[in-house]
Amino acid sequence: MKRSQFGDDDCIQAILDEIGSGTKIVCDLGARLQFSNSAHLIEDHGWTGVLVDKSPVAVQELHDAMGGMADIRQECVGIDNVNLLVPSDTWLLSIDIDSDDWWVWANLLARPAIVIIETNSVRGMYVCAYRSISKHDYGCSLAATILLGTMKGYKFIGRRDVNAYFVRSDLECEYRVPEVLRHQNAAVD
């Protein structure tokens, strides 16, 4: 069953069709059953991995739907625990924690083949302060995320609404994520 928010399941499958499924291990930070970038892989394609969310309700829904198929944890993800949460052999990493996404990826030591990370609509180079509590100061811009991905050895292959897609440069992925109309030709400045 496809569960992603913006047709991400189809984009993920297209990337996997090109580069392969590798270890079939997914790590979803900010995992929710609804709008999940990982549930389809786990439920329909035999993947396993780690699903993490700070919400007890979200974690219970994940346990009810996928208990036994993945390691489901209730934790607040941050720079202090990201390397304990993400398995070193993760093939696909999804980061959607609505706050410190950029900081978490910046501090990650593992090198998943695919990284999907939530961005905000701020133009230019922008990263919120770590652990910002402001409802208006959160996340990171696409430009800041592309810079981080490049520094970490990843190729940006497109954005689907708020989700930016990266593939490790050594995998030479030619696929491009079909961007949502409102983002096409948008300056990254």
Side-chain angles (χ1 to χ4, degrees), residues 7-141:
D8 292 281
D9 289 327
D10 293 333
C11 296
I12 292 166
Q13 191 58 56
I15 296 166
L16 295 173
D17 287 346
E18 186 170 330
I19 69 168
S21 296
T23 62
K24 286 191 153 189
I25 295 174
V26 62
C27 184
D28 195 336
L29 305 177
R32 300 289 172 109
L33 192 57
Q34 182 182 23
F35 305 140
S36 173
N37 287 332
S38 59
H40 179 59
L41 296 173
I42 293 168
E43 293 174 322
D44 300 331
H45 296 284
W47 284 52
T48 189
V50 179
L51 310 179
V52 183
D53 200 276
K54 65 182 178 182
S55 163
V57 172
V59 168
Q60 186 59 53
E61 288 176 353
L62 290 166
H63 272 294
D64 292 347
M66 292 187 277
M69 292 187 269
D71 180 3
I72 301 166
R73 302 179 190 181
Q74 182 187 341
E75 292 194 46
C76 183
V77 179
I79 61 174
D80 53 333
N81 66 353
V82 64
N83 290 302
L84 300 172
L85 295 171
V86 179
S88 61
D89 55 352
T90 297
W91 193 253
L92 185 148
L93 171 65
S94 178
I95 307 172
D96 182 356
I97 56 175
D98 297 331
S99 59
D100 297 322
D101 304 54
W102 189 94
W103 294 102
V104 164
W105 191 22
N107 284 275
L108 180 67
L109 298 175
R111 294 192 28 82
I114 304 163
V115 175
I116 304 167
I117 182 170
E118 184 181 51
T119 61
N120 63 29
S121 60
V122 174
R123 295 176 66 84
M125 235 13 109
Y126 173 79
V127 178
C128 73
Y130 184 67
R131 294 286 188 214
S132 173
I133 57 172
S134 168
K135 292 186 186 272
H136 303 291
D137 179 32
Y138 69 93
C140 52
S141 68

